[in-house]
Amino acid sequence: DDDRGRQGITTTDVSSKQHGYSSGPYCNDFGGTSSATPLAAGIAALVLYANPTLTWEEVGTILKETADKIGGSGARYRKGYSLQYGFGRVNAEAAVAAALSRKAKADTRGGAATKKR
């Protein structure tokens, strides 16, 4: 098994012996859903902070539409989705910009309407 091409996130690791991913206080191969889920949740929180009037469906749409498509032509995206990469890599900057853009459009239409959640 050759993991040299695998991308991961550098993060702190469990400091007790035999319990972490590496022998030191950090590991650089933390990946998959274990790292993607808290990252996506954090970006969703940023999106809501930028535009608190968004519904959860709108936040999900923004995350999907602003994700960076990865994997090249082999990823085979159809309607924005790839069986291998999902909607792609979340992009915090693009997602927050989209949330702010929606807020600005609502403000120019006479104020943001209060939505039922």
Side-chain angles (χ1 to χ4, degrees):
D1 223 22
D2 186 0
D3 287 338
R4 285 181 284 171
R6 181 172 182 233
Q7 292 182 345
I9 296 173
T10 300
T11 186
T12 56
D13 199 3
V14 177
S15 59
S16 56
K17 293 181 181 180
Q18 306 292 326
H19 289 81
Y21 287 97
S22 69
S23 59
Y26 301 98
C27 68
N28 63 359
D29 61 351
F30 183 58
T33 56
S34 295
S35 64
T37 301
L39 183 63
I43 294 171
L46 290 172
V47 167
L48 279 172
Y49 183 78
N51 186 348
T53 66
L54 295 170
T55 65
W56 67 268
E57 292 102 337
E58 290 170 321
V59 172
T61 297
I62 287 172
L63 292 178
K64 293 172 190 176
E65 289 178 350
T66 60
D68 297 328
K69 303 306 180 213
I70 58 173
S73 61
R76 296 186 222 146
Y77 284 91
R78 290 192 177 84
K79 297 184 181 180
Y81 184 82
S82 163
L83 290 176
Q84 186 172 5
Y85 298 106
F87 288 97
R89 179 181 51 232
V90 291
N91 183 324
E93 181 179 16
V96 169
L100 291 171
S101 175
R102 285 185 183 215
K103 183 178 181 190
K105 286 178 186 174
D107 289 346
T108 60
R109 288 191 305 252
T114 304
K115 295 183 179 182
K116 292 182 182 179
R117 294 188 187 257

